[in-house]
Amino acid sequence: MEVVISIVIGILAGSGVWLLLRPRTFQVLIGLSLLSYAINLFIFSVGSLAIDREPIVLPGLAPTLDNYTDPLPQSLVLTAIVIGFATTALFLVVLLALRGLSGGDHVDGREERP
Amino acid sequence: MTGALSLGAPLIVAPVLLPLATAALMLLLGEGRRRLKAVVNLASTLAGLLLAVYLMQAVHAQDLPQAFCVYLPGNWPVPFGIVLVLDRLSALLLVLTGCIGLASLLYALARWHQAGVYFHVLFQLQLMGLYGAFLTADLFNLFVFFEVLLAASYGLLLHGGGTQRVRAGLHYIAVNLVASLLFLIGVAVLYGVTGTLNMADIAAKLPLVAEADRGLLHAGAAILAVAFLSKAALWPLNFWLPGAYGAASAPVAALFAILTKVGVYAVLRLWTLCFPAEVGGGAPFGGAALVWGGAATLAFGAVGMLASQQLGRFAAYSVIASSGTLIAAFGFGAPALAGGALYYLASSTLAGAALFLLVELLERARQVELGPDAIDDGQDTLPAFIASEPLPGVNLDDDEEVLIGRAIPAALAFLGLTFAVCALVVSGLPPLSGFVAKLAMLTALLDLHRPAAWVLFALLLLSGLMAATALLRIGMRHFWTAEARPSPRLRVAETLPIGLLLAGGLSLVLQAGQALDYMRKTAATLHAPGQYIAAVMSARPVPPVPLAASQEVRP
């Protein structure tokens, strides 16, 4: 489980960083999204991974981390997803506005005209 | 609640709730009704400033160990729930935010708030994010408030439109999104190592961290520092700043003068709390990196000031130089130096905001000179105003514009005088607040007897000289060219905020003794983090009202 999660985080983060360094705006946007997935998974894994354990206290079980998974990273991930979603939407709007205004989709340059 | 203020701790939530409620109210008003929104916004911003001043006085009136006000908004016990903490540093930054917010709003009311929709709502949300970031005492809420203020700042930066602004905005957003992601990584690592998000609790638990986890802890702190320092415009991370701040409209750029200070604040708060000087042998963790990075930033900002041909970029580089000075000074971990640096923070933020506001007026005055017939009231430098498509209930014709302000006499004299004052403060020449701040820092640096201190000493003097040279050149170009020219048209609403900001800076000089005393007490409290930890950890939730008692109240 840990190995799978680590590999997934690594692949997502690596592709995210690579895309982030690309010259076109859409690639940058996708890179940011991939990177934020990687980080959400990372936050999720920080509270130690567990299968089939509840984050909510159940009757009849001692309320220790032996019986439950840490609920805090899950709530952090939830908040981070919401915030990341909002800022990505905003970025998308700016991206489209720039596309309309400058006629190209380069982050920091000009469209090459043949 | 120990150390509670007699005024009632819940009042410290008000700086966050007031802008939020105002923004929600103004959203309900729709896109029109600009005048009503302007009045509401002005009233709310003014109330926020008065509240901040009141809180500052209340906190400062207390003795040193009790100079904290802790409030638990969710009424949960301390390390688990949300905690808001007000101390002298937070209070100082709240007041600064209020001052700059009020000034830039007043300036925007002259014209800029018509340049796009939802200016007032975004403005209030920006204030809310700033106030919240200064008040919160746990890392994740710091992230949330950072995002609130950044999201609002994206909207404000794009306010007015135009290709240049959108391009600069895209870079700004991309850089800040990446920095926010780094912030999240840092928070997650710190949570993984210490198991808590409350800053005071982290500080209390750090000595218990196993030796094997130290490396991870330091990696997390370093990643967090990269996130903060890219917002504070440390040298290799500040390439986005001159473009973004130079492209923003004048009132927004003035408000942004405090945005870089949020990053500086976060570093100062977290580093004095979690990595105090006693532990790491003379300097906080990464102190050398902060000092040298700050010195490089200062040098970069000074060279940039000298090299910039446009006034807007000059102001942006002066912001970079000021945050470089602050980061370098805080990196030493010396209370006396930090006291001077805090004074410099107040002085340079006020002067930077005034400079950004002045830039637009000076550019307009210059355009009047260059081609008076081509320019009609400077309107062509502005993007297409929404007012050209009349909204129901809003009529911004010439008659109504006269009510906002009129061409004031002796406009050029006003511009020259305020520019000279700004120049004195920014370059740190006597007798204004910039000089007091630099003198306080230089004397503290003399006592440190470290090579880095001498480098910073020289850089402070040299950067002052470079700033003075650059400002002199700009002043000569704008004021000393002997040509018959028409007097530039300024509005009272545009000159008033500049006057207010400079008056704020002037009162810092007139009250220099008291102000420095306040800053030194702040620095002393910061460098003795035990008091902060004790104040936060001893806060207790309010016990629930007994059921019988609450029923008795009801008839």
Side-chain angles (χ1 to χ4, degrees):
Chain A
M1 174 101 169
E2 282 82 359
V3 174
V4 174
I5 290 270
S6 321
I7 291 174
V8 167
I9 292 175
I11 291 174
L12 281 175
S15 345
V17 170
W18 189 76
L19 280 176
L20 201 60
L21 300 173
R22 304 297 300 157
R24 291 178 186 274
T25 47
F26 187 68
Q27 292 165 322
V28 172
L29 179 81
I30 296 295
L32 278 171
S33 305
L34 288 184
L35 205 54
S36 75
Y37 294 147
I39 285 162
N40 287 339
L41 276 177
F42 176 66
I43 300 175
F44 195 68
S45 69
V46 156
S48 77
L49 299 169
I51 297 173
D52 280 350
R53 284 197 199 150
E54 302 274 345
I56 299 171
V57 177
L58 295 174
L61 281 175
T64 63
L65 283 183
D66 292 335
N67 299 325
Y68 301 96
T69 158
D70 192 352
L72 199 68
Q74 305 189 14
S75 59
L76 298 189
V77 168
L78 189 62
T79 317
I81 288 174
V82 172
I83 289 176
F85 189 64
T87 45
T88 308
L90 199 91
F91 190 78
L92 192 62
V93 172
V94 178
L95 184 159
L96 289 175
L98 186 68
R99 175 84 177 80
L101 281 169
S102 74
D105 63 349
H106 281 261
V107 176
D108 197 9
R110 276 161 196 275
E111 197 70 37
E112 284 173 30
R113 307 247 179 243
Chain B
M1 198 171 311
T2 57
L5 293 171
S6 54
L7 57 100
L11 201 58
I12 69 170
V13 201
V16 182
L17 291 185
L18 180 72
L20 180 64
T22 315
L25 180 74
M26 286 192 295
L27 260 185
L28 291 179
L29 290 176
E31 291 186 15
R33 304 207 200 165
R34 283 169 199 283
R35 184 148 303 171
L36 178 62
K37 276 193 200 166
V39 171
V40 171
N41 194 353
L42 195 61
S44 168
T45 311
L46 192 64
L49 175 60
L50 293 178
L51 196 66
V53 171
Y54 174 68
L55 286 173
M56 186 187 198
Q57 282 178 344
V59 161
H60 187 51
Q62 295 179 324
D63 287 337
L64 208 53
Q66 278 96 40
F68 296 98
C69 183
V70 185
Y71 181 62
L72 311 173
N75 211 21
W76 279 70
V78 162
F80 307 112
I82 296 171
V83 189
L84 296 182
V85 178
L86 181 81
D87 66 345
R88 287 203 179 90
L89 178 63
S90 310
L92 169 71
L93 282 156
L94 290 188
V95 171
L96 264 183
T97 309
C99 288
I100 287 171
L102 185 66
S104 57
L105 176 63
L106 272 175
Y107 188 92
L109 288 185
R111 205 163 52 177
W112 270 106
H113 75 126
Q114 303 159 19
V117 291
Y118 294 125
F119 174 81
H120 295 291
V121 177
L122 287 170
F123 188 87
Q124 283 296 323
L125 288 175
Q126 171 94 75
L127 286 185
M128 175 198 156
L130 283 166
Y131 285 143
F134 293 139
L135 281 173
T136 183
D138 73 284
L139 276 181
F140 199 75
N141 279 300
L142 188 64
F143 169 74
V144 172
F145 281 120
F146 254 83
E147 287 303 314
V148 169
L149 77 90
L150 285 174
S153 80
Y154 304 152
L156 284 177
L157 174 62
L158 296 172
H159 184 75
T163 310
Q164 195 202 355
R165 212 163 271 150
V166 173
R167 190 180 285 281
L170 189 85
H171 296 169
Y172 178 72
I173 296 176
V175 168
N176 275 307
L177 285 183
V178 176
S180 303
L181 294 178
L182 288 176
F183 193 156
L184 272 180
I185 298 179
V187 169
V189 171
L190 278 187
Y191 178 76
V193 174
T194 62
T196 176
L197 287 167
N198 187 309
M199 291 186 211
D201 203 24
I202 290 178
K205 287 208 172 120
L206 278 188
L208 308 176
V209 171
E211 204 53 42
D213 286 344
R214 282 268 151 198
L216 198 58
L217 174 78
H218 285 171
I223 292 172
L224 214 52
V226 172
F228 291 142
L229 292 176
S230 74
K231 277 157 197 172
L234 195 80
W235 162 57
L237 310 169
N238 60 9
F239 54 92
W240 52 271
L241 191 139
Y245 282 32
S249 56
V252 173
L255 190 61
F256 281 8
I258 195 142
L259 276 199
T260 51
K261 306 298 184 292
V262 183
V264 176
Y265 163 83
V267 168
L268 179 62
R269 167 72 79 206
L270 217 60
W271 259 243
T272 54
L273 199 57
C274 298
F275 307 101
E278 304 93 71
V279 179
F285 163 68
L290 289 181
V291 168
W292 291 109
T297 312
L298 177 57
F300 177 77
V303 172
M305 279 197 272
L306 208 53
S308 50
Q309 296 293 322
Q310 295 162 332
L311 264 171
R313 291 182 77 83
F314 173 86
Y317 278 110
S318 83
V319 168
I320 290 182
S322 109
S323 69
T325 310
L326 289 170
I327 291 168
F330 292 141
F332 280 103
L337 183 58
L342 284 172
Y343 188 92
Y344 180 78
L345 191 155
S347 145
S348 73
T349 311
L350 289 172
L355 201 58
F356 272 119
L357 295 182
L358 204 54
V359 162
E360 196 192 62
L361 298 185
L362 282 176
E363 290 293 338
R364 199 188 306 162
R366 199 167 153 76
Q367 274 161 359
V368 168
E369 173 194 344
L370 290 178
D373 52 351
I375 282 100
D376 178 25
D377 197 18
Q379 288 278 2
D380 77 329
T381 60
L382 302 177
F385 275 64
I386 292 296
S388 57
E389 304 156 13
L391 292 155
V394 182
N395 189 10
L396 289 159
D397 56 11
D398 286 330
D399 290 334
E400 293 200 346
E401 290 226 292
V402 171
L403 290 175
I404 299 172
R406 61 195 71 206
I408 61 168
L412 206 61
F414 172 83
L415 282 183
L417 195 66
T418 47
F419 182 78
V421 172
C422 269
L424 288 180
V425 177
V426 169
S427 56
L429 292 175
L432 293 177
S433 59
F435 175 69
V436 179
K438 284 209 170 167
L439 196 65
M441 282 194 286
L442 291 177
T443 47
L445 278 172
L446 276 180
D447 296 335
L448 283 178
H449 302 298
R450 282 165 53 183
W454 295 112
V455 172
L456 188 59
F457 189 91
L459 269 178
L460 275 180
L461 291 178
L462 201 63
S463 71
L465 178 68
M466 288 164 91
T469 314
L471 281 163
L472 200 62
R473 192 181 62 189
I474 292 170
M476 280 166 68
R477 190 186 300 160
H478 280 87
F479 299 110
W480 285 2
T481 41
E483 282 174 34
R485 62 174 126 188
S487 180
R489 291 186 55 183
L490 307 178
R491 297 209 171 88
V492 179
E494 289 170 336
T495 54
L496 187 67
I498 299 179
L500 279 179
L501 284 175
L502 294 180
L506 216 58
S507 69
L508 266 182
V509 186
L510 295 178
Q511 308 279 323
Q514 281 183 25
L516 266 176
D517 177 52
Y518 182 92
M519 307 299 180
R520 291 204 171 119
K521 276 188 178 168
T522 311
T525 320
L526 278 176
H527 288 88
Q531 296 166 356
Y532 181 92
I533 298 170
V536 173
M537 299 307 282
S538 63
R540 293 279 169 270
V542 181
V545 182
L547 205 60
S550 63
Q551 276 172 346
E552 274 175 12
V553 176
R554 266 183 227 144

